[in-house]
Amino acid sequence: MTDLTKLSAAALADKLASGEVSSVEATQAHLDRIAAVDGDVHAFLHVSDHALDVAADIDRRRAAGEQLGPVAGVPLAIKDVLVTTDMPSTSGSKILEGFMSPYDATVVARSRAAGLVPLGKTNMDEFAMGSSTEHSAYGPTRNPWDLERIPGGSGGGSAAAVAAFEAPLALGSDTGGSIRQPAHVTGTVGMKPTYGGVSRYGAIALASSLDQVGPVTRTVLDAGLLHDVIGGHDPHDATSLTDEWPSFAAAAREGATGDVLKGLKVGVIRELPDSGFQSGVSESFRAAIAAMEAQGAEIVEVSAPHFEYGVAAYYLILPAEASSNLAKFDSVRFGLRVDVPGGTVEDVMAATREAGFGDEVKRRVILGTYALSAGYYDAYYGSAQKVRTLIQRDFDEAFAQVDVIATPSAPTTAFKLGEKIDDPMQMYLNDVTTIPANLAGVPGISIPSGLAPEDGLPVGIQFLAPAREDARLYRVGAALEALLVESWGGPLLDRAPALRQAQGPTGQAQGPTGQAQGPTGQAQGPTGRAHGSTGQAQGPTGGAR
Amino acid sequence: MAKDKLMDFDEALELFEPVLGFEVHVELNTETKMFSRAANPANSANHGAEPNTLVAPVDMGLPGSLPVVNETAVRYSISLGLALGCSIAPSSRFARKNYFYPDLGKNYQISQYDEPIAFDGQVDVELSDGTIVSVPIERAHMEEDAGKLTHMGGATGRIHGAEYSLVDYNRAGVPLVEIVTKPIFGAEHRAPEIAKAYVQTIRDIVIALGISEARMERGNLRCDANVSLRPRGQEKLGIRTETKNVNSMRSVERAVRYEIQRQAAILAAGGTITQETRHWHEDTGTTSPGRPKSDADDYRYFPEPDLLPVEPSPELVDELRAALPEPPAAHRRRLKAEWGFTDLEFQDVVNGGLLAEVEATIAAGAAPAAARKWWTGEITRIANAQGREPVELVTPTHVAELQGLVDEGTLTDKLARQVLEGVIAGEGSPQQVVDARGLAVVSDDTALLAAIDEALASQPDVLEKIRDGKVQAAGAIIGAVMKAMKGQADAARVRELILERAAQ
Amino acid sequence: MSEITPDLVRHLGVLARIQLSDAEVERLTGQLDVIVDNIAKVSQVATPDVPATSHPIAMSNVFRPDVVGDMLTPEQVLQNAPDAADGRFRVTAILGEEQ
């Protein structure tokens, strides 16, 4: 049988629908893959101990003749920022170790209703603050292309999971690039919807006015399929849009086969000179643009004079909102509690947050507290909200001239673990091309554009569209993807180095500790402790393996 | 702690001019909370719920939870703003007030900061002698209530010395409207009276609007009283204190009076007033300093990013304005005329804070005089004896039912008072108490005649006396019969029957 | 314009209820300093004539009907409680004032 893990979600969904493959088989294949490689990759913080039960139920219903949705039976990885009732939700933080939410995030509930099979929760920078997943309290995730390198952040786990073929679909969240930048460094696809296009209910909040949940996949069509499941108005989220959305899968199919690129006006931002970018990144970007031009696209230089203030504005708005959003983690109702003998509850709160928050989180909470403090609001937070207005105006003017804007998804390819961790400002510049979309609320997608010749690492190209024009991104993204994949002779991920598969003496795929998997297919993590035990997700406490 | 020195009130007023301010929090009685769909404990249907049974995810700050605004609460808030004579903001926003406290589910309160829904109003407050005081309203804004902390261990059960505290989030998220006055000048020696009348007026307004149960003893209506003194002739305002925990109308009056006296004593002795929050203690009739606020007032307000601006259309505002009930003073004038009370009788009702109750009792079928008699008479007497508010003891519906039983002859006034005691004791409705205790007037003539004959047997000369024209001799028999019947007889009927006997 | 001092950082730590060690205060003072300098750049373009945007997609009057739902059972409310008694969350003595 074909390696089921190598199939796109669309292809797998077809085989499930036709009955050629069962969901149990598909799920087992992915659980095996996780067991084989996740010891090295560490994409998952928790692997579900009942995924096969869920899969079996889908198979049963299909056999009984029930009409199931287009992606029913396909496995799904879920970023640990999304709360789930049946698996712990930590948001990558010690302060939420073992937390079991009594309700499912709306996107999780919709995924379950669509018949997707949750495989587990994926790793992330703590509370989604970061661009490398090095700030996870449970150890970093490694880039499947090169295990010494970062998979991007904050959603490195989801991106690595799909890049390593551990899951065909994953959910992520994007506040300043946390879906798009990991897609770029792992050769995968990541889409941030228009703000309000997908419900935030159940996404542990980082910056409420910037956060969006979106799909993380290997192909544009797969992203469209997942987006169709999770998107749309949610009465639980007052900021969710009431628009009726078209099918994004349909848009992707249109893009792949139609004549989308002919006459398409593609904007390139004058103020983002690629001299600031790694040469291989710029080269790949220019090549992708040229390929579009060859198909009849018109490349137009547009001006976005205020984008350069985006990072600064973002690093005021985000910490400010985050400092307020993270105040709820105080030892009283859930999460970590550090006892202080004879201490007041104020002492306990302070000791708990000291122990439970990592350095990056503390840094941003303190900065945010400062930005909102009496006397500083106007100069910092208030001013930053004005930059938002200016960036929106830049976009409005640009989109009056072009249909989409194209940028490299990030300035560099995947850097090495530990390389930037001590220089927060350096780290923050990773987001320079992705941040404007979050500030303005417009949608953005990153698709693979090629490999940088100097290091052979993936590069992504980002497209941006006006607010509510998400479908346009699927059409354009799919069109370029089709072109590029044809020119490569296959998906970019085919060129990723093979990951070593942990094998034991019995030849059975095993966890790295050498213990055989049991018949239930329960995956074993690097510490040998079963993931998916009832609620106590324990990850490695130190650095990576 | 040393007892506060107090200056004589009149002396204080000679030296100083009191300036008042009030922050009244009104709990709305919507079905659900302000930002969540949990059932609202400030709606009487949910009163007395077990702890943590009225909680939705956002009320306890569960990760990922989000607020969504209750449309009815917004309508109620606009109506209240209009009733306070305020302008309604064409656009207002919610803001986060950030501070840490265990009774806050999220460690921020969603409130309104510089964009309240209503602002710049005025309320006419009528005092007992008919004087109208115009109280200027700064603003009224929407916000959510906090949960309830119960302090355990420690001597007094208050925070100091407590070993631990228990937190119940039922109340977290209850819709509140906070009404803030501008400084009130010219109250002079009527300041305590005006304070009480103001809060009563607010209560009347919200009850008339039907937007709050307004039970102060349940915390549906909470008043923080701000008091400052300035020496006569001085321009600059004095330092003010804020007194909380003022849980009844009586407390409002007493607390304001106390603070005036306390502050005057300090200032006269050359001291300065500490700007602080104080607690009112009903049992000792004093205020004491609260603990210092931990966050030193840096609430780091910013617009609530999870919620969108509230922009009531002019049509909606007009609709709500047209639906407003008449203002309290006009309302009172109309009632006084309808009910035909004397000024004094009417004032008794108003001063007792019983206007709404009397009105409701009349609406339930009782005659105005009877309603007044019950509420200002027996019910107030019992309330004072028990140290409770009249409204806590019995409902207007029950009072009307009770009077109905008197009107139809089932009860005498005396029996009715016994039934009232039973109702207050929680034995049920008046009819239920009558049935359970067997208190109905005996209307069966046979039984009455039997008792009459027995009484006559021991006083045989009475019939003669009556036949001789000394009708008042019947009194002795009536008395004996009433005693024998344990009061469960209609004295007038007994008298009739005796006279019939005599005529035979 | 750098205004971050160790005292300020300690005060911010109190406001944010994070007990910072001396080493952390020192490190944070340095890091926040660098960031804040860079961020002051924002005020260059944030002139009085530019309105602030708090919501990326403008909407207003988003309400829900006053209908009960979404309630948790008390067991669910307490299921992650670090300490509870009598159906309520339990915390140690409280220092500050109710607000």
Side-chain angles (χ1 to χ4, degrees):
Chain A
M1 170 190 324
T2 336
D3 184 351
L4 294 176
T5 63
K6 284 291 188 326
L7 296 173
S8 69
L12 180 56
D14 283 343
K15 291 192 193 293
L16 286 163
S18 71
E20 191 185 327
V21 163
S22 73
S23 182
V24 167
E25 284 169 317
T27 302
Q28 184 68 67
H30 287 91
L31 289 171
D32 290 345
R33 178 66 178 171
I34 291 169
V37 305
D38 209 54
D40 286 339
V41 176
H42 192 229
F44 285 87
L45 292 179
H46 181 98
V47 177
S48 170
D49 62 1
H50 54 276
L52 290 170
D53 293 334
V54 175
D57 188 59
I58 302 287
D59 289 335
R60 197 164 26 242
R61 287 161 56 199
R62 200 190 302 270
E66 194 178 318
Q67 262 297 78
L68 299 175
V71 293
V74 175
L76 172 75
I78 300 172
K79 185 178 182 182
D80 213 20
V81 76
L82 294 163
V83 298
T84 47
T85 51
D86 60 342
M87 293 180 282
S89 306
T90 70
S91 206
S93 179
K94 272 285 187 265
I95 214 167
L96 276 180
E97 192 165 11
F99 171 71
M100 295 298 289
S101 174
Y103 76 100
D104 273 333
T106 296
V107 296
V108 170
R110 289 179 181 182
S111 298
R112 294 194 210 269
L116 291 169
V117 180
L119 284 171
K121 310 298 288 296
T122 59
N123 199 12
M124 51 185 285
D125 282 299
E126 188 180 358
F127 287 112
M129 300 188 198
S131 315
S132 65
T133 310
E134 292 174 288
H135 291 296
S136 165
Y138 299 102
T141 296
R142 292 161 179 276
N143 193 324
W145 287 76
D146 178 342
L147 295 173
E148 299 308 309
R149 293 178 185 269
I150 55 102
S154 62
S158 282
V162 302
F165 302 94
E166 295 174 279
L169 297 173
L171 286 171
S173 69
D174 189 311
T175 305
S178 296
I179 286 176
R180 292 162 287 155
Q181 183 256 13
H184 156 86
V185 296
T186 57
T188 57
V189 173
M191 164 70 173
K192 182 200 85 68
T194 298
Y195 182 83
V198 176
S199 170
R200 288 184 299 119
Y201 188 66
I204 299 174
L206 168 56
S208 317
S209 71
L210 301 167
D211 295 342
Q212 266 297 278
V213 175
V216 173
T217 60
R218 292 191 289 270
T219 70
V220 176
L221 173 57
D222 285 355
L225 285 165
L226 184 52
H227 195 155
D228 284 344
V229 168
I230 61 174
H233 180 246
D234 179 13
H236 284 107
D237 176 355
T239 60
S240 75
L241 299 172
T242 53
D243 298 40
E244 287 289 326
W245 300 92
S247 162
F248 300 117
R253 288 195 178 99
E254 237 180 85
T257 55
D259 233 349
V260 170
L261 295 176
K262 193 177 174 102
L264 182 78
K265 293 205 173 73
V266 179
V268 172
I269 297 174
R270 178 186 311 143
E271 289 85 0
L272 282 180
D274 44 30
S275 57
F277 290 67
Q278 182 180 324
S279 65
V281 168
S282 303
E283 205 181 299
S284 181
F285 175 68
R286 276 195 289 267
I289 295 292
M292 293 177 83
E293 224 173 353
Q295 292 298 312
E298 192 188 324
I299 311 302
V300 179
E301 194 184 65
V302 293
S303 176
H306 300 99
F307 276 29
E308 72 166 278
Y309 299 93
V311 172
Y314 176 82
Y315 281 103
L316 283 167
I317 293 171
L318 181 146
E321 293 183 7
S323 69
S324 180
N325 285 330
L326 266 59
K328 58 176 59 74
F329 304 105
D330 66 355
S331 84
V332 175
R333 295 163 294 285
F334 42 77
L336 183 69
R337 175 180 291 186
V338 169
D339 283 310
V340 177
T344 61
V345 72
E346 288 86 355
D347 295 330
V348 174
M349 284 183 179
T352 298
R353 290 158 66 81
E354 160 69 4
F357 286 154
D359 286 343
E360 183 61 24
V361 169
K362 285 182 205 166
R363 179 186 303 137
R364 298 201 198 185
V365 167
I366 295 294
L367 179 59
T369 305
Y370 178 54
L372 292 174
S373 280
Y376 300 111
Y377 179 95
D378 285 322
Y380 292 155
Y381 184 72
S383 295
Q385 299 284 46
K386 293 184 174 199
V387 170
R388 226 175 168 147
T389 307
L390 294 169
I391 288 179
Q392 276 190 332
R393 288 178 184 170
D394 283 356
F395 272 119
D396 287 342
E397 278 176 40
F399 286 127
Q401 305 166 61
V402 299
D403 301 310
V404 294
I405 292 171
T407 77
S409 300
T412 68
T413 55
F415 45 87
K416 285 198 185 281
L417 287 156
E419 190 179 315
K420 296 197 185 179
I421 194 136
D422 289 322
D423 189 345
M425 274 320 298
Q426 261 302 299
M427 192 69 90
Y428 296 163
L429 287 171
N430 283 316
D431 304 325
V432 65
T433 57
T434 47
I435 275 173
N438 300 86
L439 287 170
V442 302
I445 193 170
S446 175
I447 69 165
S449 62
L451 300 178
E454 64 269 35
D455 52 27
L457 292 169
V459 178
I461 179 170
Q462 175 185 232
F463 292 104
L464 304 168
R468 297 180 156 96
E469 293 300 331
D470 303 47
R472 188 180 304 177
L473 293 178
Y474 282 100
R475 275 197 295 277
V476 172
L480 179 59
E481 177 190 60
L483 264 187
L484 292 175
V485 169
E486 202 195 329
S487 75
W488 298 329
L492 195 67
L493 273 169
D494 284 354
R495 308 197 198 170
L499 290 165
R500 78 174 178 143
Q501 309 213 18
Q503 296 272 337
T506 61
Q508 250 182 334
Q510 300 176 356
T513 58
Q515 282 176 303
Q517 284 187 20
T520 60
Q522 219 178 26
Q524 301 268 339
T527 60
R529 244 171 300 176
H531 290 279
S533 54
T534 51
Q536 299 301 316
Q538 302 270 341
T541 52
R545 284 181 69 253
Chain B
M1 190 169 61
K3 255 183 91 164
D4 293 320
K5 283 200 176 61
L6 302 178
M7 182 181 280
D8 169 74
F9 184 76
D10 292 326
E11 207 186 314
L13 262 292
E14 256 172 67
L15 296 173
F16 302 105
E17 180 196 347
V19 178
L20 307 177
F22 300 103
E23 280 148 32
V24 174
H25 288 85
V26 178
E27 282 185 341
L28 302 179
N29 65 356
T30 49
E31 298 291 325
T32 63
K33 296 183 178 181
M34 186 75 224
F35 303 113
S36 87
R37 297 180 59 199
N40 179 5
N43 182 313
S44 56
N46 304 311
H47 180 68
E50 288 297 304
N52 290 311
T53 55
L54 305 176
V55 179
V58 73
D59 302 325
M60 61 173 287
L62 279 176
S65 59
L66 294 172
V68 184
V69 178
N70 178 340
E71 178 157 32
T72 302
V74 174
R75 293 173 67 99
Y76 282 9
S77 304
I78 295 171
S79 294
L80 179 50
L82 291 169
L84 297 171
C86 290
S87 304
I88 302 300
S91 180
S92 70
R93 287 191 296 184
F94 292 99
R96 292 193 188 175
K97 179 180 182 183
N98 296 283
Y99 64 98
F100 285 81
Y101 208 72
D103 65 1
L104 286 189
K106 309 179 286 301
N107 285 321
Y108 58 87
Q109 178 198 34
I110 301 178
S111 176
Q112 294 189 294
Y113 179 52
D114 52 359
E115 292 168 278
I117 187 149
F119 56 93
D120 275 354
Q122 135 184 335
V123 174
D124 286 339
V125 172
E126 194 174 335
L127 302 181
S128 57
D129 63 354
T131 315
I132 308 266
V133 174
S134 187
V135 175
I137 304 294
E138 173 77 44
R139 54 187 275 155
H141 68 255
M142 301 182 281
E143 60 183 25
E144 55 177 345
D145 212 341
K148 269 210 182 104
L149 281 165
T150 311
H151 309 298
M152 313 289 283
T156 60
R158 274 212 59 232
I159 297 176
H160 182 62
E163 284 178 354
Y164 62 94
S165 302
L166 297 176
V167 198
D168 168 18
Y169 292 99
N170 281 356
R171 197 183 63 180
V174 165
L176 287 179
V177 177
E178 180 176 342
I179 305 168
V180 183
T181 66
K182 297 185 185 171
I184 301 167
F185 299 99
E188 299 298 342
H189 61 279
R190 301 190 84 170
E193 189 189 343
I194 289 169
K196 180 178 170 187
Y198 171 70
V199 180
Q200 265 170 350
T201 303
I202 299 296
R203 182 168 181 268
D204 289 343
I205 289 173
V206 301
I207 288 177
L209 286 170
I211 63 175
S212 172
E213 313 292 329
R215 306 271 293 256
M216 279 188 87
E217 74 282 2
R218 286 188 184 173
N220 298 149
L221 192 73
R222 308 200 285 262
C223 174
D224 297 341
N226 297 333
V227 177
S228 71
L229 297 180
R230 66 178 167 186
R232 297 271 168 205
Q234 181 178 293
E235 178 96 28
K236 186 161 170 247
L237 288 175
I239 293 174
R240 66 179 167 89
T241 61
E242 182 187 16
T243 301
K244 287 177 159 341
N245 198 41
V246 182
N247 290 336
S248 69
M249 297 295 178
R250 224 160 59 113
S251 304
V252 174
E253 187 169 14
R254 295 173 70 204
V256 167
R257 173 178 284 262
Y258 183 87
E259 269 302 289
I260 288 172
Q261 294 181 275
R262 186 189 71 86
Q263 290 188 22
I266 293 172
L267 290 172
T272 52
I273 306 299
T274 312
Q275 176 159 23
E276 62 187 350
T277 299
R278 297 180 71 86
H279 278 270
W280 169 253
H281 302 277
E282 186 60 36
D283 48 354
T284 54
T286 62
T287 64
S288 67
R291 302 214 145 232
K293 287 185 186 174
S294 314
D295 286 325
D297 292 320
D298 190 352
Y299 294 122
R300 288 157 278 139
Y301 285 99
F302 68 101
E304 170 59 79
D306 289 329
L307 295 176
L308 287 313
V310 173
E311 302 185 338
S313 66
E315 292 72 31
L316 174 65
V317 175
D318 287 341
E319 177 201 321
L320 293 172
R321 185 181 286 115
L324 289 178
E326 62 194 329
H331 184 63
R332 277 200 291 277
R333 267 192 293 284
R334 180 172 61 78
L335 290 180
K336 188 162 98 169
E338 271 176 23
W339 297 343
F341 290 174
T342 65
D343 285 353
L344 200 57
E345 287 170 342
F346 194 79
Q347 275 316 314
D348 268 352
V349 172
V350 170
N351 290 344
L354 295 166
L355 191 68
E357 285 66 31
V358 168
E359 197 181 352
T361 305
I362 294 167
R372 181 184 64 79
K373 184 199 70 172
W374 281 115
W375 284 102
T376 61
E378 193 63 10
I379 297 172
T380 294
R381 186 189 67 75
I382 296 174
N384 287 340
Q386 293 187 7
R388 294 161 76 193
E389 298 292 319
V391 69
E392 291 181 70
L393 302 182
V394 61
T395 66
T397 312
H398 281 170
V399 174
E401 189 186 319
L402 184 65
Q403 183 58 36
L405 290 169
V406 172
D407 292 339
E408 75 186 23
T410 306
L411 295 175
T412 60
D413 275 330
K414 205 163 157 194
L415 286 173
R417 279 196 285 275
Q418 284 183 50
V419 172
L420 176 65
E421 276 167 34
V423 173
I424 289 172
E427 291 167 30
S429 71
Q431 185 64 61
Q432 286 169 339
V433 174
V434 165
D435 293 339
R437 291 199 193 181
L439 286 173
V441 160
V442 172
S443 44
D444 173 17
D445 282 352
T446 323
L448 291 177
L449 286 168
I452 289 169
D453 287 340
E454 213 180 301
L456 285 172
S458 45
Q459 297 185 65
D461 54 332
V462 169
L463 280 180
E464 275 301 319
K465 290 186 181 163
I466 293 172
R467 285 175 190 136
D468 276 349
K470 291 197 183 115
V471 173
Q472 58 270 38
I477 302 298
I478 297 172
V481 169
M482 291 305 283
K483 196 167 161 192
M485 303 292 294
K486 294 190 179 59
Q488 286 173 247
D490 179 10
R493 181 74 187 133
V494 170
R495 187 175 183 278
E496 258 173 32
L497 290 171
I498 295 170
L499 294 178
E500 273 174 34
R501 263 280 183 272
Q504 282 162 359
Chain C
M1 174 180 52
S2 12
E3 293 177 328
I4 311 274
T5 62
D7 272 347
L8 174 63
V9 172
R10 263 184 224 104
H11 172 65
L12 294 171
V14 170
L15 280 182
R17 295 294 184 277
I18 304 177
Q19 184 181 77
L20 299 169
S21 66
D22 288 337
E24 277 177 312
V25 170
E26 199 185 310
R27 190 178 59 239
L28 279 169
T29 307
Q31 285 173 347
L32 290 181
D33 217 19
V34 164
I35 293 167
V36 168
D37 275 344
N38 207 314
I39 278 166
K41 173 177 165 121
V42 153
S43 1
Q44 292 168 20
V45 283
T47 50
D49 58 306
V50 179
T53 296
S54 359
H55 288 99
I57 310 290
M59 288 188 290
S60 65
N61 291 335
V62 178
F63 304 126
R64 60 172 171 85
D66 189 22
V67 175
V68 174
D70 289 345
M71 282 200 291
L72 302 167
T73 65
E75 292 72 35
Q76 285 175 317
V77 170
L78 293 164
Q79 80 184 27
N80 293 286
D83 190 16
D86 276 345
R88 289 171 283 180
F89 297 88
R90 182 158 52 186
V91 297
T92 50
I94 299 168
L95 180 66
E97 181 60 57
E98 209 157 326
Q99 303 173 54

